């Protein structure tokens, strides 16, 4: 059977199973690609493909493991309590102010270029507010993920770096014309936050909160014995140092997270029994996220190892009729939505983007225009079950992945459309080559 057809069927089967909740993402990520690889006749090399995929995602899995432990421990110590209390005073019980603040805070924190770090920091600050006022956490995840998708286009972010590397372009030159579209996307999200806020005002109204000290953060109610208020300045300095290290890239992310976690444990909980207790308290959350990361490695390993990704890419480009050739830039933008959702960024930018750029060159469309257009689908890409940080977000927020995907898909796609239209208007990538 044709590899491209098998690839499309595999992705469709996988998405159907998890969206209808007939199979958990963990099981589907393992069973579905294995079954299709056997159907395609790759039984002999199946093990090597799986191991290769797991190896590629291993550093991400390690980073997320220790990131969850570190920031969970910081929450236990009460580090974020003053921030939460200050936010409570600022929002005055208004859900709309919280939702707008969600977009603004995420945009600022996302400047580090790492989605996992962004989600951990913003969830730690915002989730207690959403819980305190009984707000819909699907709004939280929708706004955080869409904002992160926009800010992920910075030159030090993964997608832009991949697109520049694949086509041998300068990242700064590639990025600068995208700024108006990013601003428009953020403005759209603030408008969306206002709309969500009006719905929440009708549902729960303004919450009376004249005593901001009545709520002192998530850590107090969960693990009061783990609070370390006398170490708050040290923990704050350690967290800022970690974030600075993440931004500067002085060490690999996984190594930085491991070191920060070890230091935090030694200083805050010097007794071995206390350390074991804190790790056990968050073991369930860690296991649920990290297990999905390694399962996703099996999916991506088989998708790449069997050659399905390459076959799918060539098949899609082959469907584009010559009359549409001059419109390759907006076509690339449209294709980036489904393809960065169904396959990894690496597969899309290193596998499919060069093919799109070569096709566009025949019609006078520059590789720079194709590269910029290919970045427009990132807000939708982050919804993909192949993105490790997605599992971190829904796990920390306590919502179901399928519910999040169904709720956020349309708003994320609308953000992509807004950025695409502005990108064409400012000639970051013109409509016609």
């Amino acid at each position: 059977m044709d590899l491209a057809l098998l690839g499309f069927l595999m992705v469709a089967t996988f998405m159907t199973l998890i969206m209808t909740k007939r199979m958990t993402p963990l099981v589907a990520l393992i069973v579905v690609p294995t079954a299709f690889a056997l159907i395609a006749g790759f039984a002999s090399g199946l093990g090597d493909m799986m191991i290769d995929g797991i190896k590629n995602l291993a550093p991400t899995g390690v980073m997320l493991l220790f990131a969850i432990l570190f920031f969970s421990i910081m929450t236990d110590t009460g580090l974020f309590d003053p921030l939460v209390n200050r936010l409570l005073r600022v929002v005055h019980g208004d859900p709309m102010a919280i939702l707008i603040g969600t977009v603004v805070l995420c945009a600022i924190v996302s400047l580090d270029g790492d989605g996992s770090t962004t989600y951990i920091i913003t969830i730690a600050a915002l989730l207690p507010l959403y819980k305190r006022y009984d707000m819909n956490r699907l709004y939280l995840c929708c706004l955080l993920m869409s904002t992160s998708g926009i800010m992920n286009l910075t030159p030090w972010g993964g997608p832009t770096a991949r697109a520049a590397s694949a086509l041998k372009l300068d990242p700064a030159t590639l990025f600068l014309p995208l700024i108006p579209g990013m601003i428009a996307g953020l403005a759209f999200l603030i408008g969306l936050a206002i709309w969500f806020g009006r719905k929440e005002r009708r549902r729960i109204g303004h919450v009376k909160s004249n005593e901001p000290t009545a709520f002192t953060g998530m850590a107090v109610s969960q693990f009061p014995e783990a609070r370390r208020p006398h170490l708050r300045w040290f923990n704050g300095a350690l967290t800022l140092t970690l974030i600075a290290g993440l931004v500067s890239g002085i060490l690999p992310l996984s190594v930085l997270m491991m070191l920060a976690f070890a230091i935090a444990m030694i200083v805050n909980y010097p007794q071995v029994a206390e350390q074991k207790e804190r790790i056990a308290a968050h073991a369930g959350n860690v296991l649920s996220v990290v297990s999905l990361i390694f399962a996703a490695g099996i999916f991506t390993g088989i998708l790449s190892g069997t050659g399905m990704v390459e076959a799918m890419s060539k098949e899609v480009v082959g469907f584009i009729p010559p009359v549409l050739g001059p419109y390759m830039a907006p076509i690339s933008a449209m294709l980036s939505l489904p393809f960065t959702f169904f396959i990894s960024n690496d597969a899309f930018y290193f596998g499919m983007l060069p093919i799109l750029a070569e096709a566009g060159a025949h019609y006078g469309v520059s590789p720079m225009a194709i590269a910029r257009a290919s970045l427009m689908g990132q807000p939708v890409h982050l919804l993909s079950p192949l993105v490790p940080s997605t599992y971190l977000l829904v796990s920390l927020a306590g919502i179901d992945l399928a519910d999040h995907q169904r709720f956020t898909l349309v708003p994320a796609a609308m953000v992509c459309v807004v950025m695409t239209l502005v990108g064409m208007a400012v000639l970051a990538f013109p409509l016609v080559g």
Side-chain angles (χ1 to χ4, degrees), residues 37-386:
L38 292 174
I39 294 172
F42 289 93
S44 59
L46 192 57
D48 291 336
M49 295 178 198
M50 291 178 169
I51 294 298
D52 288 341
I54 292 173
K55 286 180 179 178
N56 289 335
L57 287 183
T60 300
V62 172
M63 186 272 291
L64 289 180
L65 187 157
F66 287 98
I68 294 171
L69 287 176
F70 175 80
F71 284 100
S72 296
I73 287 170
M74 290 297 101
T75 302
D76 291 349
T77 65
L79 173 63
F80 302 109
D81 290 351
L83 173 61
V84 172
N85 286 329
R86 183 175 294 275
L87 289 173
L88 281 170
R89 287 191 291 268
V90 170
V91 300
H92 297 296
D94 184 5
M96 182 181 291
I98 297 174
L99 287 157
I100 295 173
T102 298
V103 177
V104 175
L105 179 62
C106 185
I108 295 172
V109 177
S110 293
L111 288 172
D112 72 346
D114 181 67
S116 299
T117 305
T118 297
Y119 295 149
I120 291 170
I121 295 173
T122 53
I123 288 288
L126 295 169
L127 185 58
L129 293 176
Y130 279 75
K131 286 185 174 181
R132 168 68 173 83
Y133 299 136
D134 191 30
M135 294 174 61
N136 189 342
R137 278 174 274 174
L138 286 173
Y139 294 160
L140 170 65
C141 290
C142 173
L143 294 175
L144 286 181
M145 179 165 284
S146 300
T147 304
S148 181
I150 295 172
M151 300 305 295
N152 204 27
L153 300 186
T154 53
W156 52 89
T160 302
R162 287 180 176 90
S165 299
L167 299 183
K168 298 179 175 58
L169 304 172
D170 176 54
T173 305
L174 178 63
F175 166 72
L176 290 176
L178 298 177
I179 293 177
M182 294 171 66
I183 294 173
L186 291 174
F188 174 84
L189 286 178
I190 290 177
L192 185 64
I194 293 173
W195 183 56
F196 288 160
R198 288 176 177 171
K199 294 175 66 175
E200 289 292 71
R201 278 179 175 176
R202 289 194 295 268
R203 185 175 69 86
I204 62 178
H206 279 66
V207 182
K208 300 297 182 182
S209 183
N210 296 325
E211 298 181 6
T213 56
F215 176 73
T216 53
M218 188 166 49
V220 177
S221 59
Q222 287 188 341
F223 307 109
E225 74 284 356
R227 284 173 54 79
R228 297 293 186 269
H230 61 286
L231 293 173
R232 189 168 290 153
W233 286 107
F234 171 82
N235 289 327
L238 177 61
T239 302
L240 291 175
T241 302
L242 171 62
I243 294 173
L246 293 174
V247 174
S248 65
I250 189 172
L251 287 173
L253 298 183
S254 55
V255 175
L256 284 171
M257 285 297 180
M258 294 173 75
L259 290 172
F261 163 74
I263 294 171
M265 289 294 277
I266 291 171
V267 175
N268 288 278
Y269 308 105
Q271 301 299 320
V272 174
E274 292 177 324
Q275 294 179 7
K276 289 182 178 179
E277 185 178 354
R278 297 273 48 81
I279 293 173
H282 303 290
N285 193 21
V286 170
L287 179 63
S288 64
V289 174
V290 176
S291 60
L292 283 167
I293 300 305
F294 291 120
I298 290 179
F299 190 100
T300 56
I302 290 176
L303 197 63
S304 176
T306 57
M308 289 183 186
V309 168
E310 184 179 356
M312 292 163 69
S313 302
K314 291 181 177 178
E315 195 70 24
V316 169
V317 174
F319 271 117
I320 301 174
V323 69
L324 295 179
Y327 303 93
M328 280 302 298
I331 288 174
S332 298
M334 289 187 294
L335 289 177
S336 70
L337 272 72
F339 270 88
T340 57
F341 181 88
F342 291 133
I343 63 178
S344 68
N345 268 345
D346 285 333
F348 179 77
Y349 288 108
F350 292 115
M352 191 169 184
L353 180 58
I355 300 174
L356 292 171
E358 183 178 354
H362 290 297
Y363 300 97
V365 183
S366 70
M368 186 69 76
I370 298 293
R372 290 171 183 154
S374 71
L375 296 168
M376 296 298 99
Q378 284 306 300
V380 169
H381 161 72
L382 292 181
L383 276 171
S384 171
L386 301 180

Side-chain angles (χ1 to χ4, degrees), residues 365-410:
V365 183
S366 70
M368 186 69 76
I370 298 293
R372 290 171 183 154
S374 71
L375 296 168
M376 296 298 99
Q378 284 306 300
V380 169
H381 161 72
L382 292 181
L383 276 171
S384 171
L386 301 180
V387 177
S389 60
T390 300
Y391 299 109
L392 178 65
L393 174 63
V394 297
S395 175
L396 292 176
I399 64 172
D400 185 77
L401 174 63
D403 292 338
H404 170 56
Q405 289 176 322
R406 281 194 295 267
F407 182 84
T408 307
L409 180 58
V410 172

